[in-house]
Each structure stands twice: as structure tokens, then as C-alpha cells.
Amino acid sequence: LKQLHLMGDDVSGRGLRHLAALPRLETLTLAGTTVCDADLVQLVGLKKLKVLDLSSSKVTGSSLHCLHNLDRLESLELGGVELTAVSP
């Protein structure tokens, strides 16, 4: 599986741990979900991820630094997200 699109309030961060079973994932959409900053750490194992869409999620920016090891990440969508704290 290379693309996964999950959208809506029914998607929470608790289920993200199952994404570790998808090491070839290149595109992940979590738009409009309840995924928050604390959940982003569960994405660090997705080494082939190129596109991550967190639009209209509960992310505030304080944990975006967790994504720095995603060397192949080319696109990060944050439309509709209130960035209140971005950590280096």
C-alpha cells in the first residue's frame, strides 16, 4: 500500500500505531481528523513518506519536529491548522 486517505472525526491518533505495518506508505492524508501533536510521534517509522496532509486536524505545531527524520517528505499540508507553537 502506497497511499492511505483517512478523513473525518472518526479517525483518532490511537489508530496511527497500526501504520507501522505499512512501511511502503508514500502518501498519508489525515485531513479533518482528531489527530493531535502527541500522535505525530507514531509516524516517525514511515521512512518512505513523501506527502503528509494534516489539514484541519488538531495539530498545533508543537510536535512537528518529530517529522524531521522523514527524509523523503516533500509535501506537508497544514491548511486550516492553528499553528500556535512550532518547535525547532
Side-chain angles (χ1 to χ4, degrees):
L1 185 66
K2 290 188 177 187
Q3 295 185 18
L4 181 61
H5 303 281
L6 303 170
M7 295 177 241
D9 289 340
D10 293 337
V11 179
S12 69
R14 288 180 291 175
L16 295 185
R17 69 178 181 268
H18 300 293
L19 296 179
L22 303 172
R24 292 152 95 199
L25 197 62
E26 294 180 1
T27 300
L28 177 60
T29 301
L30 297 170
T33 65
T34 59
V35 170
C36 66
D37 292 300
D39 302 321
L40 294 185
V41 70
Q42 297 181 68
L43 304 180
V44 298
L46 301 176
K47 300 296 184 187
K48 294 192 177 190
L49 199 62
K50 294 180 181 179
V51 178
L52 177 58
D53 186 349
L54 298 170
S55 299
S56 300
S57 67
K58 303 296 181 191
V59 171
T60 65
S62 65
S63 295
L64 290 179
H65 67 279
C66 291
L67 306 177
H68 81 278
N69 285 335
L70 299 178
D71 297 331
R72 295 186 182 187
L73 193 63
E74 298 171 359
S75 176
L76 177 60
E77 293 290 330
L78 297 170
V81 169
E82 286 191 45
L83 292 178
T84 57
V86 178
S87 297

